[in-house]
């Protein structure tokens, strides 16, 4: 696993996105999200939360994000 952004960002049809501006925004968002998640994870573990439990909390948080395409 890596904290680096993926090499390709697949579109709805599976083809990788190619717009430079979109790729720039996606990479920036990825870096920011990785830093926030890293900080939250480290804080929790240092305060005594079980690592496996915290990973599940963060994964569940991502899984619960609503789609911006749904009304």
């Amino acid at each position: 696993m890596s904290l680096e952004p993926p090499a390709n960002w697949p579109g709805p049809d599976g083809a990788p996105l190619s717009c430079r501006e979109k790729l720039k925004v996606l990479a920036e968002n990825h870096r920011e999200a990785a830093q926030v998640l890293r900080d939250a994870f480290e804080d929790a573990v240092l305060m005594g939360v079980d690592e496996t439990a915290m990973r599940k909390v963060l994964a569940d948080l991502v899984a619960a994000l609503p789609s911006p395409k749904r009304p």
Side-chain angles (χ1 to χ4, degrees):
M1 281 191 212
S2 171
L3 291 177
E4 294 300 314
N8 294 306
W9 296 89
D13 62 357
L17 298 180
S18 59
C19 173
R20 288 183 187 167
E21 285 302 311
K22 288 180 182 180
L23 295 173
K24 181 179 171 183
V25 169
L26 289 166
E28 182 178 325
N29 287 347
H30 187 281
R31 278 190 299 277
E32 291 174 4
Q35 185 62 53
V36 169
L37 291 171
R38 183 184 303 116
D39 292 346
F41 180 74
E42 289 175 2
D43 287 349
V45 171
L46 291 172
M47 288 188 281
V49 176
D50 176 71
E51 284 190 32
T52 301
M54 188 58 188
R55 289 180 192 279
K56 182 171 180 349
V57 167
L58 295 174
D60 289 349
L61 177 64
V62 171
L65 291 172
S67 171
K69 290 188 173 185
R70 283 191 222 142

